[in-house]
Amino acid sequence: MYKQDLYKILSEHIKPNILKKRNKKKDWEYGYNKEHDMIVISKTGKIGEIYEIQNLKIALPLEENVHEFENNKWTFIDLPKELKRIKTIFDWEKYPVDFKEKWYDYIDTEFERREKGFWFYNKDRPIYLTGSHYVYLQWSKIDVGKPDFREANRLFFIFWEACKADTRCYGMCYLKNRRSGFSFMASGEVVNLATISSDSRYGILSKSGPDAKTMFTDKVVPISVNYPFFFKPIQDGMDRPKTELAYRVPASKFTRRKILANEPQEQL
């Protein structure tokens, strides 16, 4: 029988009483934890399983609010019909307050999942996706439509999140095979990060300039264009630029107070 060896779960890395006590206090900080020599990728203050991937110990968030899809596996959830008509924040602002109030919780939940990740049952097993992986699966458009859920990609995004969380890290080396989906995952991540960051630049490095440009026009731009309006920053220039996507302000959360007051939204 096949036994996976891409990662292992360290069930005794932290004493149960310490884990329970610190979870109760929501005391685990995102980033490298020197005391336990592990990287916490949880943004809830609570941790659950600890994975070891390529000798790197990574503490996942505590299993909470696990979503149950009808077919017991990852399933793309289509954007509600009422929101499909809204293409930009300017369209949204034209709608009455009672309409905005109706969709506040939905939009806020999507921002929450984007930031903290997403739990769901896959064949009755609770599975954690990082926020970046969730956005890639749920809101990114690739050459075949919507991406498929792959366990190898899930572990890749978890490792990638650990690299981002660890201030000691200067990057990640990833040896891949062709048609693994890496180019689309990398394109999805650059759009995800660029649309929530202020005063930042995100670039593409490839073996040649034309290859980098092709990745930009064929992958990065379509992913950005197909984001839902509430994830789209205000954009300068053309809808489908050839060399640069320029955002004036990052995507922002919709707060109930600002919706009721019909004020500009709070930036992330």
Side-chain angles (χ1 to χ4, degrees), residues 21-203:
K21 181 180 179 180
R22 295 192 64 174
N23 275 347
K24 186 176 181 179
K25 295 168 62 179
K26 297 183 179 180
D27 195 33
W28 298 100
E29 293 185 5
Y30 179 81
Y32 178 65
N33 184 289
K34 186 176 181 180
E35 180 184 359
H36 298 285
D37 187 29
M38 65 182 186
I39 303 166
V40 177
I41 63 171
S42 171
K43 296 181 180 179
T44 66
K46 297 181 282 187
I47 63 172
E49 290 182 329
I50 298 171
Y51 284 11
E52 185 176 80
I53 305 175
Q54 295 293 305
N55 298 317
L56 198 66
K57 300 176 183 64
I58 306 170
L60 272 59
L62 185 66
E63 178 187 325
E64 293 179 310
N65 302 319
V66 185
H67 187 85
E68 294 186 54
F69 290 109
E70 188 174 332
N71 54 4
N72 201 18
K73 65 179 183 180
W74 167 262
T75 306
F76 162 72
I77 304 172
D78 203 8
L79 186 69
K81 188 180 297 184
E82 293 94 325
L83 297 183
K84 282 185 177 181
R85 297 191 294 264
I86 305 175
K87 303 302 181 183
T88 69
I89 187 64
F90 301 113
D91 295 337
W92 166 264
E93 290 174 352
K94 295 175 184 176
Y95 280 80
V97 172
D98 57 344
F99 176 88
K100 296 177 183 178
E101 181 70 16
K102 177 182 175 182
W103 295 107
Y104 167 82
D105 288 336
Y106 171 81
I107 295 172
D108 190 59
T109 296
E110 287 304 310
F111 270 99
E112 191 85 358
R113 291 172 176 177
R114 185 183 190 181
E115 180 183 2
K116 298 179 180 179
F118 179 72
W119 283 94
F120 74 100
Y121 284 111
N122 188 48
K123 297 180 180 179
D124 298 320
R125 177 188 167 209
I127 293 292
Y128 174 71
L129 304 177
T130 65
S132 294
H133 194 187
Y134 173 78
V135 171
Y136 172 69
L137 290 174
Q138 172 64 25
W139 296 117
S140 299
K141 180 182 179 182
I142 64 175
D143 55 349
V144 296
K146 287 296 179 183
D148 293 327
F149 169 76
R150 299 175 181 176
E151 175 68 2
N153 289 353
R154 183 180 80 93
L155 299 175
F156 169 73
F157 272 104
I158 287 172
F159 189 88
W160 198 349
E161 188 67 32
C163 292
K164 292 190 293 182
D166 190 351
T167 55
R168 305 171 304 165
C169 178
Y170 285 88
M172 171 178 60
C173 294
Y174 179 58
L175 183 65
K176 72 176 189 68
N177 58 309
R178 288 191 59 79
R179 303 302 299 172
S180 65
F182 174 77
S183 295
F184 278 107
M185 289 190 289
S187 298
E189 180 65 341
V190 76
V191 175
N192 178 42
L193 293 176
T195 52
I196 58 173
S197 304
S198 298
D199 302 322
S200 301
R201 290 179 179 269
Y202 291 86

